[in-house]
């Protein structure tokens, strides 16, 4: 469940993410996932945030 301005990690794993800022669905959300630090590859399990390709907003991932 998305709460406030965060994205639920389970929804990220499922690939069904809606940007809480612009309310549009993010296609292939893991492709837009961000990790702050040196991690390769970026996955739904280690993502810290997701960048929206529509509004360029960044939303943190919550467990």
């Amino acid at each position: 469940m998305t709460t406030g301005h965060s994205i639920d990690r389970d929804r990220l794993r499922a690939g069904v993410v809606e940007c809480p800022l612009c309310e549009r669905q993010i296609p292939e959300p893991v492709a837009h996932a961000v990790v702050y630090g040196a991690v390769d590859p970026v996955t739904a399990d280690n993502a810290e945030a997701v960048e929206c390709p529509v509004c360029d907003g960044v939303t943190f991932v919550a467990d």
Side-chain angles (χ1 to χ4, degrees):
M1 171 162 105
T2 304
T3 57
H5 290 288
S6 64
I7 293 172
D8 185 68
R9 189 171 308 278
D10 289 334
R11 292 186 62 80
L12 181 59
R13 285 184 189 113
V16 181
V17 173
E18 187 175 278
C19 176
L21 303 172
C22 70
E23 299 181 353
R24 295 190 178 129
Q25 188 162 352
I26 300 173
E28 299 182 47
V30 176
H32 301 283
V34 177
V35 174
Y36 299 101
V39 176
D40 190 32
V42 176
T43 66
D45 291 320
N46 65 14
E48 296 176 88
V50 176
E51 293 178 325
C52 178
V54 177
C55 73
D56 294 326
V58 177
T59 305
F60 288 99
V61 176
D63 289 313

